[in-house]
Amino acid sequence: MTGRVHLVGGGPGPLDLLTVRAWRLLVSADVVVMDRLGPTDLRGELRPDAEVIDVGKLPGHHPVPQDEINALLVDRARAGKQVVRLKGGDPFVFGRGGEEVAACLAAGIPVDVVPGVTSAVAVPQAAGIPVTHRGVATAVHIVHGQGPVSASTLAALRDPEVTTVILMGVSAIPRIVADALRAGVAADRPVAIVERGHHLDQRTTRTTLGSAVLDAGRTGIRNPAVIVVGDVARAELLLPAHEMTGDTVR
Ligand code: SAH
């Protein structure tokens, strides 16, 4: 009998930010195919006989190419296994989840998708940043930092009512900033860079577009991080800054 692939969103890291559905599927899975981001300390929670395969990717390194991951999912499901493909955040937000679904469907493997808490919203939130806020930001533009900065991203950066959320953007900060300033985005647009959101070593760097390159270099910003550009990134939007620090991580 053919098994099934469940493409499961794991959220930004802590186990208690998994959905109940994700949890139920994980604890009963025959095979768990894990990523680098999202919940990683699952060993003690899975079935002792579960096969755990880590295909985690470091930025710039792809230990397991996407077509091999796809083939792996199909292979295990064909062997009759219940396969959980656990992804960081939500599977359909820059997670190549669509490609994995397509690969399963093309191979005739039943597949379903369990949504997850995406870092695009939850990581800013962990630093006290609402991605929309009445009277401040009425729209959100979510983009990845790889490749050229598109016209739509420049328009979002320029629009005072739009929050721009950049994933996978740490190494691209100098290029994004240069393109934005050249396109006429105000140098004083607030920027917040939130590293390791929802982890104990979470860190938030507040700066502006004009100072972001210097400040990111000075503080040694590292992946994974979410970059937020827009008025919601101002340090004192909700509370005086000193009241926000320390109480946002468990
Ligand atoms: N599908 C995922 C995103 C995958 S792209 C989601 O919905 O969250 C990977 C990027 O997500 C990282 O480069 C980083 O920008 C962001 N990210 C994921 N988890 C994070 C975390 N805990 N803290 C900061 N950034 C995170």
Side-chain angles (χ1 to χ4, degrees):
M1 204 184 76
T2 307
R4 192 176 186 91
V5 172
H6 305 275
L7 206 59
V8 173
L15 290 187
D16 57 359
L17 288 178
L18 281 163
T19 64
V20 175
R21 189 181 301 177
W23 182 256
R24 285 191 181 131
L25 288 166
L26 275 165
V27 298
S28 64
D30 298 312
V31 181
V32 179
V33 181
M34 310 253 295
D35 256 338
R36 183 178 56 88
L37 295 175
T40 45
D41 53 348
L42 274 167
R43 291 274 173 171
E45 318 291 341
L46 306 177
R47 273 177 30 200
D49 60 338
E51 182 189 10
V52 180
I53 306 168
D54 189 352
V55 295
K57 301 182 184 87
L58 289 172
H61 301 79
H62 293 267
V64 182
Q66 188 63 47
D67 54 353
E68 282 180 33
I69 297 175
N70 298 350
L72 186 69
L73 300 176
V74 168
D75 173 75
R76 295 303 191 275
R78 279 216 175 110
K81 308 285 187 191
Q82 291 295 313
V83 183
V84 168
R85 169 65 173 121
L86 184 65
K87 322 269 298 176
D90 184 274
F92 280 2
V93 180
F94 301 132
R96 304 190 73 168
E99 292 167 47
E100 293 176 7
V101 168
C104 290
L105 293 177
I109 302 294
V111 56
D112 58 79
V113 182
V114 179
V117 173
T118 180
S119 63
V121 175
V123 168
Q125 176 275 325
I129 300 169
V131 293
T132 69
H133 192 62
R134 198 148 70 98
V136 178
T138 56
V140 189
H141 181 79
I142 300 172
V143 65
H144 66 75
Q146 323 279 293
V149 183
S150 69
S152 66
T153 295
L154 290 175
L157 290 166
R158 220 184 281 117
D159 188 332
E161 289 196 11
V162 176
T163 302
T164 302
V165 176
I166 305 167
L167 305 188
M168 294 181 277
V170 170
S171 60
I173 291 175
R175 188 167 43 78
I176 295 168
V177 167
D179 285 5
L181 293 176
R182 201 176 313 118
V185 181
D188 64 354
R189 283 231 84 191
V191 173
I193 305 169
V194 188
E195 298 166 83
R196 297 193 52 76
H198 289 283
H199 291 78
L200 291 173
D201 55 351
Q202 174 179 318
R203 178 172 69 158
T204 306
T205 301
R206 309 270 183 173
T207 178
T208 59
L209 201 64
S211 306
V213 175
L214 197 65
D215 286 339
R218 191 160 40 208
T219 51
I221 302 286
R222 301 190 35 202
N223 281 306
V226 171
I227 303 163
V228 184
V229 185
D231 285 346
V232 292
R234 267 192 294 116
E236 312 217 341
L237 179 76
L238 298 182
L239 284 174
H242 66 273
E243 288 182 33
M244 286 310 296
T245 49
D247 65 353
T248 54
V249 185
R250 278 179 301 163

